[in-house]
Amino acid sequence: MNDAAPRAALMPLAVQPLTPQAFAPYGTVIEAPAGAGRPINGGNAQRFDLVSDLQLGTANGRPMLALFRAEARRFPHQVTEMERHALGSQTFVPLGERRFVIVVAPRGAAPSPETLAAFITDGLQGVTLAPGTWHHALLAVDAGDFVVVERAGDAVDCDTCAFAAPAIVDWES
């Protein structure tokens, strides 16, 4: 944790389990549904069609598939800046059981620490952030690889907002 800000100035941020209902204002949760999928490949695999609203074509955008190799973050973690991508959605899916914390704020005006929400994945879940959703950079609890699907294009699509006083995510595994 960076101790540059006085302790009294830190806004504590509760971390809640990631559920589709709680995360709906910010995007969609990606997880295998309960029960069996549809058999494919001669019965050697199960297919699960995951519902996620990928929006990548705005302003001549195109899909970009990337691999993020993330180091585990240390907690408590100070949230001093948020970002958003107004022209496209952004999807994070862990490879293997990799938990991560998602810090988000509603679409629209610049966020403040009071407008933030935080979620912890179960290690198998991913998320698609709706276009314009304010979010913190990837906060991996477990080091590892994440597949990221996002918009690529000529137009720059990243706005940032810095906080005068940070929020703090104090999550313990």
Side-chain angles (χ1 to χ4, degrees):
M1 182 173 84
N2 178 351
D3 291 321
R7 194 84 155 132
L10 300 177
M11 170 86 174
L13 185 57
V15 179
Q16 57 187 307
L18 180 66
T19 66
Q21 298 78 16
F23 196 72
Y26 313 104
T28 54
V29 175
I30 300 169
E31 60 188 343
R38 177 173 47 134
I40 61 169
N41 298 333
N44 290 310
Q46 294 288 312
R47 177 181 172 140
F48 298 89
D49 292 330
L50 305 175
V51 177
S52 192
D53 189 15
L54 300 178
Q55 297 176 40
L56 306 169
T58 304
N60 295 318
R62 63 191 180 282
M64 166 82 67
L65 184 65
L67 179 72
F68 287 17
R69 182 154 291 147
E71 294 182 14
R73 297 284 189 130
R74 295 178 62 111
F75 292 90
H77 177 80
Q78 288 190 18
V79 176
T80 59
E81 182 178 79
M82 299 285 281
E83 65 180 49
R84 70 175 174 185
H85 309 284
L87 299 178
S89 57
Q90 191 175 39
T91 299
F92 295 86
V93 178
L95 294 179
E97 293 188 32
R98 305 283 183 253
R99 296 169 299 163
F100 61 108
V101 172
I102 306 111
V103 178
V104 290
R107 292 173 266 185
S112 66
E114 297 79 22
T115 63
L116 302 181
F119 300 91
I120 180 71
T121 69
D122 64 9
L124 299 173
Q125 298 165 305
V127 297
T128 295
L129 299 166
T133 298
W134 290 97
H135 63 280
H136 191 280
L138 180 59
L139 291 172
V141 173
D142 304 309
D145 293 344
F146 294 79
V147 169
V148 178
V149 179
E150 59 189 347
R151 181 194 167 279
D154 294 334
V156 175
D157 187 26
C158 187
D159 300 320
T160 60
C161 176
F163 297 146
I168 187 161
V169 177
D170 194 3
W171 182 82
E172 297 292 328
S173 56

